[in-house]
Structures are given as structure tokens and as C-alpha cells.
Amino acid sequence: MYYLLESFFKDQNLDNMNYWLVKTEPGTYSWEDLARDKQTTWDGVRNFQARSNLKAMKKGDLVFVYHSGEEKSIIGIAVISKEFFPDPKDKEWVAVEISHKKKLKNPVTLSTIKSDKRLSNMYLVRAARLSVQAVKKEEYDCVLQMSET
């Protein structure tokens, strides 16, 4: 039985799970588009730090989907379904495939995140323009908790 459980958790990548945030303009590609499509190629990223983050993503990692522009809110959760590969539009850059997981109960706004001292070091607060960001487990859990209230 122990070996079955150990195998299950390895398959789920829970021991090495990473968390991320990707930004999108809802007029370009929204959470609703991802929910409809079920999965998409996350491409078009043209920033070296963001590219490094895409390369660090592993299958099974969880990803917050953030609507930029007027909304400025974390809307839902996606999962990395395919690790990095050459961007179809420019082979010098990379892309990943993400799949729809679930919509947050309530969107978590940037102003709400900025007002919470527990999230003061979150990349979203410190490096607001970066389109693909790492999220710490504690930050991920905090945002999930905020979405439930």
C-alpha cells in the first residue's frame, strides 16, 4: 500500500510543486477563453526573466491567471500541461502549454494583495510588469484563502 501511495504522490509532482503567475490582457486572451479552450499554448513572452521562469515550469505546477489592464485581479488557476518548447512564432523564445483547472471563488485584486502585509514581497507587488512570475507556496495559499472570503 505504501508503494502505491508513494507512486501516486510522485505522479502528482506534489513533492516538487512550484507555483507561478501569468498575466494576460482579458481582451487578448481571458480566463474565459482558457476555460472554453481547456488548454492553450502560452507564447509571445519577450522578456528574459519571464523566459527563464517559463523554462523553470514543470508539468503539474500550478499557475495563477492574472487579468491585467483595468481588472488587475487573479481570476483562476491553471496547470502546466507541457513543459517549455520553442515558441511557435519565434524559435529564439519559449512557450509552455497550460490547462484550465478552476476559477477562483472570488477574484483577488491587486489592491487587496498590496494591502496584505503577508504578500508585501510577492513579485506581483515588487515587479508588477513581469508577465511570468514565481509565486511562493505561502503566497499561493494566502491568495487562495483571500479568494474564499
Side-chain angles (χ1 to χ4, degrees):
M1 180 68 164
Y2 170 77
Y3 295 108
L4 291 174
L5 287 174
E6 182 181 40
S7 175
F8 169 79
F9 285 113
K10 280 187 179 179
D11 290 345
Q12 296 300 309
N13 195 26
L14 296 176
D15 52 346
N16 295 319
M17 175 87 57
N18 292 307
Y19 303 89
W20 306 95
L21 180 143
V22 295
K23 292 182 171 184
T24 184
E25 280 282 342
T28 303
Y29 193 83
S30 69
W31 171 257
E32 290 76 19
D33 294 326
L34 180 58
R36 178 196 65 229
D37 298 344
K38 303 293 186 227
Q39 69 181 30
T40 192
T41 298
W42 206 262
D43 58 3
V45 174
R46 301 295 184 263
N47 171 286
F48 290 106
Q49 187 175 359
R51 178 176 68 180
S52 293
N53 288 339
L54 288 173
K55 286 182 173 183
M57 291 176 167
K58 300 296 178 205
K59 188 173 181 177
D61 285 354
L62 297 176
V63 182
F64 281 137
V65 177
Y66 177 90
H67 278 181
S68 55
E70 290 184 25
E71 280 187 57
K72 292 184 174 69
S73 298
I74 297 174
I75 302 296
I77 302 170
V79 63
I80 300 299
S81 49
K82 183 177 179 183
E83 295 178 15
F84 82 93
F85 53 91
D87 186 314
K89 297 172 188 151
D90 185 342
K91 304 297 183 211
E92 297 295 316
W93 296 91
V94 299
V96 295
E97 184 178 275
I98 66 172
S99 297
H100 171 272
K101 185 164 177 70
K102 75 174 193 172
K103 186 172 185 173
L104 293 182
K105 184 174 180 180
N106 297 294
V108 180
T109 65
L110 180 59
S111 60
T112 301
I113 290 168
K114 285 183 172 181
S115 69
D116 192 309
K117 291 179 183 177
R118 297 173 296 174
L119 299 174
S120 62
N121 288 321
M122 192 172 181
Y123 273 105
L124 188 59
V125 174
R126 294 184 301 117
R129 295 185 49 84
L130 188 60
S131 64
V132 180
Q133 308 174 358
V135 175
K136 294 177 185 164
K137 169 80 167 114
E138 305 80 42
E139 296 166 342
Y140 179 86
D141 291 341
C142 185
V143 170
L144 285 183
Q145 180 184 30
M146 295 164 96
S147 77
E148 295 294 320
T149 58

